[in-house]
């Protein structure tokens, strides 16, 4: 995806904007597929999401006393 930049070629502004919008769309689509833990980055299980829809941590990180002190 970044081969143009690493190869020494510069992107036109329109190309850079198009790539930024595409990346944003991909990130939004990935967020809709599943939620990820803000502690470890792992996927939050469907059962935990069903019980706690607004959770931001997986069950392992939610049970960690060290991580609980941070929030």
């Amino acid at each position: 995806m970044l081969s143009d930049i690493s190869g020494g070629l510069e992107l036109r502004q329109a190309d850079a904007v198009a790539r930024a919008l595409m990346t944003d769309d991909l990130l939004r689509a990935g967020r809709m597929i599943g939620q990820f833990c803000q502690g470890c980055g792992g996927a939050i299980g469907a059962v935990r999401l069903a019980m706690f829809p607004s959770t931001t941590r997986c069950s392992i990180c939610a049970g960690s006393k060290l991580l609980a002190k941070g929030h």
Side-chain angles (χ1 to χ4, degrees):
M1 185 171 187
L2 299 177
S3 61
D4 294 342
I5 296 171
S6 63
L9 299 175
E10 293 185 18
L11 294 174
R12 293 182 303 136
Q13 183 177 5
D15 292 336
V17 170
R19 285 186 180 201
L21 291 173
M22 181 183 70
T23 302
D24 187 52
D25 290 343
L26 289 172
L27 290 172
R28 289 179 192 268
R31 183 154 175 98
M32 284 186 235
I33 292 171
Q35 290 186 346
F36 299 96
C37 177
Q38 291 181 359
C40 68
I44 299 174
V47 174
R48 181 161 175 78
L49 283 172
M51 292 174 59
F52 308 104
S54 62
T55 188
T56 58
R57 305 236 183 233
C58 67
S59 58
I60 295 170
C61 291
S64 171
K65 292 180 182 179
L66 182 62
L67 289 173
K69 288 182 181 180
H71 288 309

